[in-house]
Amino acid sequence: MKTAVEISLYPLQDNYIDIIKWFIGRLDAYPELERKTNGMSTQIQGDHNAIMTILSDEMANAYEKWGRGVFVCKFIPGGVNLDHSE
């Protein structure tokens, strides 16, 4: 099953932009994910099981490397058109 996820990361540190860019770069290491980022959030899409494993691993990596932060996620089963602009 395909799943789309909208993710917002709110690092609880002053260098939050570097941390967000680091996390997005980690997601880019997975060719099985489709990713779009805008000024508010990052959207990824792919196989549901793969996404859940990737998010679990990368969120843990972020906490281990950077400490506390907040992830806000929306999950949409079936996927969406990430290029839709309305």
Side-chain angles (χ1 to χ4, degrees), residues 9 11 13-26 65-66:
L9 169 56
Q13 296 189 25
D14 290 338
N15 61 331
Y16 63 93
I17 292 176
D18 294 334
I19 298 169
I20 293 168
K21 287 181 178 181
W22 175 88
F23 185 75
I24 292 169
R26 300 285 297 193
K65 182 170 180 69
W66 302 106

Side-chain angles (χ1 to χ4, degrees), residues 22-70:
W22 175 88
F23 185 75
I24 292 169
R26 300 285 297 193
L27 295 177
D28 284 343
Y30 298 92
E32 64 267 41
L33 296 182
E34 179 183 355
R35 179 191 61 82
K36 298 283 182 181
T37 298
N38 61 42
M40 300 272 299
S41 64
T42 294
Q43 297 84 38
I44 59 173
Q45 185 163 249
D47 175 73
H48 176 82
N49 291 331
I51 282 181
M52 298 308 285
T53 299
I54 290 165
L55 286 180
S56 177
D57 292 347
E58 294 305 335
M59 289 169 72
N61 288 334
Y63 291 139
E64 185 175 308
K65 182 170 180 69
W66 302 106
R68 293 180 50 183
V70 177

